[in-house]
Amino acid sequence: MAIGKRKKITVAELDRIRRRGAGPLRYYDLVLVSIREVLRKRRRYIGVLASIALGMAGFIVIITMGNDLKKNFNNDLDLLGGATIMNAMFEQIQLERQEWFRERTLAAIGRIPGVLDTTKVALKASAVTTWHDRLFGFNLVGCEANYWKVFSFNATVGRLFDQQDVDAGARVCVVGADLARQMFGQEDKGLGQILSIDDNLYTVVGILGGVRAGDRSQFVFLPITTALARVGGVSQPYSCYIRCATWDDVATVAAAVPGVVKANQPDRGLRVNVAWEPLKQVQRIFWWVELFIYSSIVATMILGGFGIWNIMMATVTSRTREIGLKKAMGALDSDILYQFLFEALCVTLSSSVFGVILGRIGIEYMSRMLGTRPPEGMFVLCLLMGLAFAAILGVGAGLYPSIRASRMQVVDAMRYE
Amino acid sequence: MSNQYDIADDNALVIDINNLTKTYQTGAGGISVLKDVNLHVRRGEMVAVMGPSGSGKSTLLFILGLFQPPSTGGYKVAGVDVLSLSRDQQAIFRREMLGFVFQSCDLLENSTVYENLELPLIYAGVRRRERPDRIREALGMVNLEHRLHQPSNRLSGGERQRVSIARALVNEPEFILADEPTGQLDRENSLRVLEYFTKITEEARTAMVVVTHDNMTAEHCTRKCVLTDGYLNG
Ligand SMILES: Nc1ncnc2c1ncn2[C@@H]1O[C@H](COP(=O)(O)OP(=O)(O)O)[C@@H](O)[C@H]1O
Ligand SMILES: [Mg+2]
């Protein structure tokens, strides 16, 4: 019989036993005990589980879809304000010859960090054409094929001329919407018509559209090559437009442009025009949006953290007797610490699993409403962040109560009724 | 007999307490609860510690169980000066050498008998495959093998106390401490528990200290001590 087997223990042996007992199997057993404990007392944890799960679901939906919303928002707001587009131009100074942008200058500007695209234009302010014996005045713009993209323009009717047209110096033109209505009565009637400008004939291939097309509704656009070659009195390309990747790049790019120009060509009369006011407005709006998103996240964290903290503290008090008993049975302080920590982790991790499932449902629902596809990469990132967050929450909020439990004196625990 | 703890000696001195005192510090000054306690318990002995309420029985029990230190005095268990051990060493010593039986049973709620007995083995780092045999053997000592997988809250009061005795036995202790082990049991169940105690001390030669104020319990012990005014007589 093993019970009653004689044992003699020395102090050295106690330390040996402690070292022997510190293997991974011990933690495995403690984890199992903790899981069992949580499962058996699940009713106690349902409240905090639900709140963390809901918080986590909200967190995932906000982050995943919030970014989607932000992108949409970004585009729309930017189109309205044109806040990321700036204009650089050379002014006419008295009687000196007006400077204009050289190819290598534009290429160098294109290489400034934060610049998305540049496009140069040649202008003629008072061009005229006749249509059915009526005289029409307009602004003539010779532009490159990427002009449309820089301003996010599109064609309401027909097409916008492309790189091929520019390379070939094709005799095609795009007409502003108001001008088209005045000349042809209806926009779509202009398509395919032949306009005579400065003794050359041009085919109308499209009518300009897009959110910012309004202030160019009296314009006629020709490929820049065609304009420079055929239109008398057209300027050299003394003006160019620079589109930045984000609002945050605008200030640095604007500051860098003069230096880059000066390094490549004479910069006499150079001026950089930035729409500072819309830029500030857009940034302000977005600051609020981001504040909202991040404060939601912080609120979730704080609420979840307090919940688990609170319940763990209550648990430690209500389980004083149990802690004393376990210590009487020979549990080390660290055994108690790990048990409580594992329990907290068990609650937060299973909460976050529920939260991820709920969040996924929310995302599906929202993206169906918005008619977009949920960004899967973002979701996976959120999933990982959610799990990491749960682990941090479990350790962060569970640690102090666990330490308190482990430090508890056995007498206090045993005398506690 | 020598002070040296002899592993082959069936009557070896397991508990060796000399000139033990305990004074609680309170706002109103010190309360001297134990003034000069000497207690020597050998293998196979079952010693009753009696005394009126407030005489310091629990205090002595907590000192014996290494739950709190005495103010002065010496305490050796199986030849080891346990007072000089660190907190962790004491915890390990407790699970290797000591067993506890409490008045209120203190089984873990919502757990089976098996899980209750497994816990001390987990703390002691006993391998998973060795546990069932150890648990069966301990339950066998109190004739409860058939209750192995029963939830502990579906046991009767007497059965619960027997399970907690088995739990005290499962780590094969040299010495068992019992605090009012029959305090909440009727006469029939009390007798049964006391019979198991006697069996354990006789068969396993485990030393036992039973704190009680119940005379019938004290009658079953091999020796009876009374705690009065901070002194242990008997
Ligand atoms: N932590 C403590 N601080 C101060 N006095 C205490 C403390 N614990 C116990 N006492 C006092 O010590 C005396 C003995 O208590 P106790 O050992 O519980 O006696 P018993 O178990 O015999 O009833 C009591 O008067 C009690 O009030
Ligand atoms: Mg008492």
Side-chain angles (χ1 to χ4, degrees), chain A residues 263-276:
Chain A
N264 287 281
Q265 67 173 81
D267 66 340
R268 176 162 27 91
L270 178 73
R271 219 174 72 190
V272 179
N273 302 310
V274 179
W276 292 114

Side-chain angles (χ1 to χ4, degrees), chain A residues 415, chain B residues 53-54 57-59 179-180 211:
Chain A
R415 280 206 191 261
Chain B
S53 182
K57 300 187 298 294
S58 297
T59 302
D179 185 16
E180 306 271 12
V211 171

Side-chain angles (χ1 to χ4, degrees), chain A residues 230-371:
Chain A
R230 296 179 182 274
V231 180
V234 78
S235 73
Q236 286 295 333
Y238 66 86
S239 173
C240 79
Y241 294 92
I242 304 163
R243 182 158 185 171
C244 301
T246 71
W247 306 311
D248 301 326
D249 299 316
V250 174
T252 48
V253 171
V257 167
V260 171
V261 174
K262 197 180 171 86
N264 287 281
Q265 67 173 81
D267 66 340
R268 176 162 27 91
L270 178 73
R271 219 174 72 190
V272 179
N273 302 310
V274 179
W276 292 114
E277 215 22 68
L279 181 70
K280 271 187 212 147
Q281 260 172 29
V282 166
Q283 280 174 328
R284 213 166 16 241
I285 291 171
F286 240 81
W287 188 82
W288 283 106
V289 171
E290 291 200 331
L291 183 76
F292 169 74
I293 290 175
Y294 289 114
S295 56
S296 303
I297 294 166
V298 170
T300 309
M301 281 174 141
I302 289 175
L303 282 181
F306 268 121
I308 190 80
W309 163 282
N310 194 43
I311 205 144
M312 288 311 288
M313 286 305 263
T315 298
V316 169
T317 319
S318 71
R319 289 165 71 184
T320 301
R321 183 95 193 153
E322 176 198 322
I323 295 166
L325 194 70
K326 285 179 172 165
K327 290 199 167 180
M329 287 192 281
L332 301 179
D333 289 0
S334 60
D335 292 336
I336 301 291
L337 177 88
Y338 284 120
Q339 192 199 323
F340 276 81
L341 208 52
F342 289 151
E343 282 185 27
L345 276 174
C346 186
V347 173
T348 55
L349 283 177
S350 51
S351 306
S352 79
V353 168
F354 279 117
V356 166
I357 294 169
L358 273 180
R360 182 73 229 193
I361 293 170
I363 288 168
E364 291 291 340
Y365 183 74
M366 239 182 116
S367 56
R368 199 157 298 172
M369 292 221 314
L370 287 176

Side-chain angles (χ1 to χ4, degrees), chain A residues 159-200:
Chain A
R159 66 180 182 91
L160 302 171
F161 54 75
D162 55 18
Q163 193 61 47
Q164 249 181 323
D165 296 316
V166 174
D167 290 344
R171 280 183 288 171
V172 292
C173 69
V174 169
V175 182
D178 280 354
L179 188 61
R181 265 192 298 275
Q182 289 158 19
M183 288 199 290
F184 312 118
Q186 253 173 315
E187 287 170 19
D188 50 355
K189 279 199 182 139
L191 218 56
Q193 303 288 7
I194 310 292
L195 281 189
S196 160
I197 301 169
D198 211 28
D199 292 339
N200 279 292

